[in-house]
Amino acid sequence: MADSETSDQLSVFLQSGIYRFESSNAIFIDPVRVINRSYTRFRVSPSAYYSRFFNSGNANEEPRVSSKSRKRKRKEKKPRTLNEREELADQRHQKARPCLLKAHESLLGATDLLVMMQKLSDGCSFSEHTDSCLPSAEQSFVELESVWQASLYEITLNFNQATQNGAESDCGFNLIVLDPPWENSSAHQKLKYLTLPNRYFLSLPIMQLTHTEGALVALWVTNREKLRSFIDKELFPTWGVKYMATLYWLKVKADGSLISELDLFHHRPYECLLLGYCHRAVDSECLSIFKPIPDNQIFISVPGDYSRKPPVGELLQEYVPGVKPARCIELFAREMMGGWTSWGNEPLHFQEARYFF
């Protein structure tokens, strides 16, 4: 990439938090910068958001890795035959693998971006500090949630983009994002959040929430083949959603390396976002008018806390049908975003005071 192009990319990235790689279907996201565009009085702390992978203690990483390697060698087992579901899961992985590798190579080739990531991990912030705007006493947004309007008053989300005519309020949403609490042994063991059996999600009123001009539905899923089969055969058909494409969230560390080996069967360094279209007139040909969505697109970021997903709404906007700006809702939301309706048991979970400076 030419120096001028690199400079332009960095300039856009500093403003938006999104870095688009040339000659690649991959995008790098800085969730902190993207989220901070929704705030007017507070700023998310990069060190708090990235606490799992941006740790100053990583200076001793080489011995730690060596220790893991020795531990892995001790536990090394003979290869076993995969069962039918595991074979299907591996086939999905092998299909996506070339795209994931190419995306990771694009990141490693963007040395300017890697330098900025490393500075952030060393305690530098992409965002400008605005401490003078903060209240003198620390407050917990989760506690403020119990007081009517207190949360919105203190947080001051930017709702300018959400301005709609009153007539639109009863027409539904044209972007629906879901991150359901799927049954998950890891979440159960770590007591991170309550989970639900798959059958409970069949009753979600996706069709009723859909805008009269249709909606893009984005569903976060794990890499379990049993879950994918349930979505394909039961969940999407019940919701009236036509599957269109799979996007991949590739997780990396501050130095650009993957958080785990790409081919590690049970702990792969990526998650999937399934996209589909929904229209209230299910029996018509309306679905054919929606914009095609390229399959196997990749977005890359350093993960935040356990189960926290990066903000992807902006990346999906070009595929959202109907009114502009889009009417957006997140189901099972764990943080609020400016211009969005957030629904769930913990809509302010990631807006505790410790996440902000």
Side-chain angles (χ1 to χ4, degrees), residues 65-81:
V65 172
S66 299
S67 174
K68 280 191 172 183
S69 298
R70 289 195 297 271
K71 186 177 180 181
R72 192 178 295 118
K73 287 180 180 178
R74 286 198 299 271
K75 289 188 174 183
E76 189 174 349
K77 298 179 181 179
K78 293 181 179 180
R80 66 178 180 82
T81 303

Side-chain angles (χ1 to χ4, degrees), residues 25 28 252 280 294 316:
N25 66 342
F28 179 83
V252 298
R280 294 185 185 183
L316 304 177

Side-chain angles (χ1 to χ4, degrees), residues 205-251:
I206 301 302
M207 187 66 72
Q208 292 91 320
L209 291 171
T210 296
H211 195 276
T212 52
E213 297 183 35
L216 175 66
V217 177
L219 176 67
W220 286 101
V221 298
T222 65
N223 292 312
R224 293 179 60 206
E225 186 58 33
K226 180 180 179 181
L227 179 56
R228 292 296 295 271
S229 177
F230 166 73
I231 293 168
D232 293 342
K233 298 177 180 178
E234 296 186 60
L235 193 62
F236 271 10
T238 299
W239 287 352
V241 173
K242 178 178 175 58
Y243 168 80
M244 298 298 293
T246 298
L247 275 60
Y248 294 90
W249 172 30
L250 188 61
K251 306 176 188 180

